[in-house]
Amino acid sequence: MTRPRRIIEPFRIKVVEPIRLTTRKERLAHLVEAGYNVFKLRADDVLIDLLTDSGTSAMSAEQWSALMLGDESYAGSRSWYRFEAAVKDIFGFRHVIPTHQGRAAERILFSTVCRPGQVVPSNTHFDTTRANVEATGAVAMDLPVPEGLVPADLHPFKGNMDVGALRTLIAQEGAAQIPLCMLTVTNNTGGGQPVSMANIREVSEVCRTHGIPLYLDACRFAENAFLIKQREDGYADRGVKEIAREMFSWADGCTMSAKKDGLANIGGFLASNDDVLTRQEENLLILTEGFPTYGGLAGRDLDAIAVGLQEVLHEDYLTYRIEVIRYLGEHLTNGGIPIVQPPGGHAVYVDAAAFLPHVPPAQLPGQSLVSEFYLEGGVRAVEIGTTMFGHPDPVTGEEVTARMELVRLAIPRRVYTKSQVDYLVDITLDVWDRRERIGGFRFVEQAPVLRHFTARFEPLYELTT
Ligand code: F0G
């Protein structure tokens, strides 16, 4: 009788990078110095870095080889043509504008199409997307399905947009007030949850009826396509690239951070079928990013992305990738830890509000968990809750809290081994065991926008050494 086969890492390791264990006492000193903001830690003082899956992928031998083929010509380089061909092959849009990362594509797009007072709906905007919409004076509006806001709900596509709410918004505002609609695949802020093809299609149909362009925020398009294959009727036998192509066929354009499913350390692009808009966007690109055949990138970066975009669609890679997230989620769930269910594409999201029910949202329970995970085992996670999405009320000064208090354990692509994931489970369980002794935090310093990157905090309880 053969045993069920385990899913293994579909690669072997050629280059290693040491990581350094520190003592609890050292880690507390580092936390205090960082104002309890893990963005301010030195990466050298972190053992397992789950701050983000962005720009942290391990590149393959093919990608490193491609770097050497990089053509650094200012205009019309070979690297550009390889990059453009790879993007068009998968995404299918007529025009591709390279940028140094996703938020540059967002800034160029929104500053070209948005006017003050207009509204940009999304299933859920990511922080940079929201900030770039708001920087134009437009309103960034989140319209997630209700299941998406209930961490324990097992709906398979909690990244979906509430199509009824979209129709209501269009009826209230008028289509002319909505310069575009976005769908973030997967829905990062909402727990790395996928959007179904049925939802993409339905949103697309509503938008087309009203002449509103639909853009996908495509950072994690391959993970979303694979989750469609696993979870949506009718897709089990379809290839992932074919599924990805269908996703984009319903859209009029996309913004992309190649730092995620481009398997690259830097890069991004903006793509669409709009000839007139592209010309305006290219003028802005030249002003701030670079010439249209390199954007803000070196030729070698374009080549690494061209290879990465194709590699990320390999099904053995995606099977392993999604299995790591499922495995981590299952072990935390078995230990009793509340997480966003079912685990999605690139991260496990701990439900900090349920983990620390005695800490009110205004006392930043996610911030407490992030500090405790670092203190316990040198694990760096990120808060996706009131620290990131709340703000002080302009009149009362009281904290307006976020819809959910989450802590994201983002898994870099092809970087950590299974025993490192097991270590992570142990650390999380140890923090869970002493959850009753963990209290809240408060801000001592904060910037008016994107405050989570630079804020300083103070604990409202004593952290144990
Ligand atoms: N859209 C989504 C859904 C993202 O997750 C990100 C980045 C961006 C846009 C912006 O891309 O960083 O290349 O400018 N997310 C990272 C994260 C930073 O940690 O989730 P960028």
Side-chain angles (χ1 to χ4, degrees):
M1 199 177 70
T2 52
R3 295 177 176 79
R5 292 283 189 270
R6 287 165 209 260
I7 295 169
I8 60 168
E9 291 84 354
F11 50 79
R12 54 185 182 176
I13 296 167
K14 191 181 313 211
V15 178
V16 295
E17 192 179 5
I19 49 177
R20 197 169 64 88
L21 203 58
T22 48
T23 63
R24 193 180 180 95
K25 202 168 153 217
E26 284 169 336
R27 290 194 291 275
L28 184 59
H30 295 320
L31 264 185
V32 171
E33 199 185 333
Y36 296 90
N37 185 341
V38 293
F39 280 101
K40 295 189 173 191
L41 290 172
R42 284 171 183 258
D44 257 359
D45 298 327
V46 174
L47 185 66
I48 306 280
D49 202 347
L50 309 182
L51 186 69
T52 179
D53 63 320
S54 179
T56 52
S57 302
M59 291 207 295
S60 66
E62 283 75 12
Q63 285 178 291
W64 282 106
S65 317
L67 289 179
M68 282 307 292
L69 298 176
D71 172 1
E72 305 304 338
S73 304
Y74 189 93
S77 80
R78 288 189 302 276
S79 301
W80 155 251
Y81 287 108
R82 288 191 283 260
F83 172 86
E84 188 191 30
V87 173
K88 286 187 171 173
D89 176 50
I90 300 162
F91 297 78
F93 299 113
R94 228 177 15 254
H95 302 292
V96 183
I97 295 178
T99 59
H100 78 277
Q101 61 184 86
R103 68 197 70 180
E106 291 160 13
R107 189 187 61 81
I108 290 170
L109 172 64
F110 299 140
S111 59
T112 309
V113 302
C114 294
R115 298 287 164 267
Q118 291 186 322
V119 183
V120 179
S122 173
N123 47 349
T124 311
H125 289 280
F126 185 64
D127 61 353
T128 59
T129 323
R130 169 171 288 280
N132 273 298
V133 168
E134 289 172 352
T136 69
V139 176
M141 185 164 293
D142 294 340
L143 303 175
V145 286
E147 295 89 343
L149 298 173
V150 184
D153 194 295
L154 285 169
H155 190 286
F157 290 104
K158 289 163 78 173
N160 284 354
M161 178 181 266
D162 184 336
V163 183
L166 176 65
R167 283 202 182 92
T168 308
L169 178 76
I170 297 171
Q172 281 169 351
E173 296 286 334
Q177 275 296 92
I178 303 176
L180 80 166
C181 175
M182 301 280 298
L183 274 177
T184 312
V185 297
T186 58
N187 186 354
N188 186 13
T189 309
Q193 297 290 313
V195 181
S196 70
M197 194 73 83
N199 191 251
I200 296 175
R201 195 183 311 127
E202 213 184 333
V203 170
S204 169
E205 282 163 2
V206 171
C207 287
R208 280 183 189 171
T209 305
H210 294 278
I212 299 168
L214 171 64
Y215 276 67
L216 299 191
D217 177 344
C219 300
R220 299 176 180 88
F221 75 99
E223 291 165 4
N224 199 96
F226 191 72
L227 289 163
I228 286 177
K229 184 181 170 83
Q230 282 190 330
R231 298 183 186 177
E232 190 161 349
D233 284 348
Y235 287 92
D237 298 326
R238 302 266 299 272
V240 184
K241 192 194 268 191
E242 193 192 340
I243 298 174
R245 283 177 176 153
E246 186 185 336
M247 286 163 51
F248 294 106
S249 74
W250 294 107
D252 300 288
C254 75
T255 56
M256 172 75 188
S257 166
K259 299 173 74 173
K260 286 84 168 172
D261 275 349
L263 293 176
N265 302 122
I266 196 72
F269 58 86
L270 170 60
S272 81
N273 291 324
D274 191 323
D275 304 343
V276 177
L277 191 61
T278 300
R279 214 152 306 130
Q280 293 168 3
E281 290 166 345
E282 275 180 352
N283 290 337
L284 205 52
L285 182 85
I286 292 170
L287 190 66
T288 57
E289 286 275 302
F291 188 73
T293 63
Y294 72 86
L297 296 166
R300 57 179 170 271
D301 297 326
L302 293 167
D303 265 308
I305 297 166
V307 176
L309 285 172
Q310 298 288 346
E311 271 181 10
V312 79
L313 291 166
H314 289 186
E315 302 206 5
D316 53 358
Y317 159 73
L318 283 166
T319 304
Y320 139 80
R321 170 75 176 155
I322 298 301
E323 169 61 13
V324 171
I325 309 300
R326 193 205 61 75
Y327 175 89
L328 174 59
E330 178 183 87
H331 281 73
L332 297 188
T333 305
N334 290 346
I337 295 175
I339 63 165
V340 175
Q341 300 284 3
H346 64 293
V348 168
Y349 292 66
V350 177
D351 180 356
F355 195 118
L356 300 174
H358 54 283
V359 178
Q363 290 184 13
L364 315 172
Q367 205 54 45
S368 311
L369 281 192
V370 168
S371 300
E372 291 287 342
F373 291 158
Y374 177 68
L375 196 59
E376 190 67 37
V379 172
R380 176 157 68 168
V382 74
E383 196 260 16
I384 300 200
T386 291
T387 301
M388 191 181 273
F389 288 109
H391 57 89
D393 184 287
V395 180
T396 64
E398 295 213 350
E399 207 44 50
V400 179
T401 59
R403 291 192 187 191
M404 290 192 282
E405 302 298 331
L406 304 177
V407 169
R408 185 183 71 174
L409 305 171
I411 309 293
R413 294 168 182 77
R414 305 191 292 207
V415 169
Y416 291 116
T417 62
K418 192 166 160 216
S419 61
Q420 289 167 327
V421 173
D422 288 330
Y423 169 86
L424 183 61
V425 172
D426 293 345
I427 295 303
T428 316
L429 290 173
D430 284 346
V431 174
W432 174 245
D433 286 346
R434 50 183 184 72
R435 60 191 177 280
E436 277 155 22
R437 278 173 279 150
I438 299 171
F441 271 78
R442 68 178 190 89
F443 281 97
V444 283
E445 223 180 274
Q446 56 177 296
V449 285
L450 296 173
R451 62 181 183 173
H452 51 289
F453 290 125
T454 53
R456 296 183 78 82
F457 305 91
E458 201 170 72
L460 300 168
Y461 70 107
E462 201 177 331
L463 280 79
T464 52
T465 47

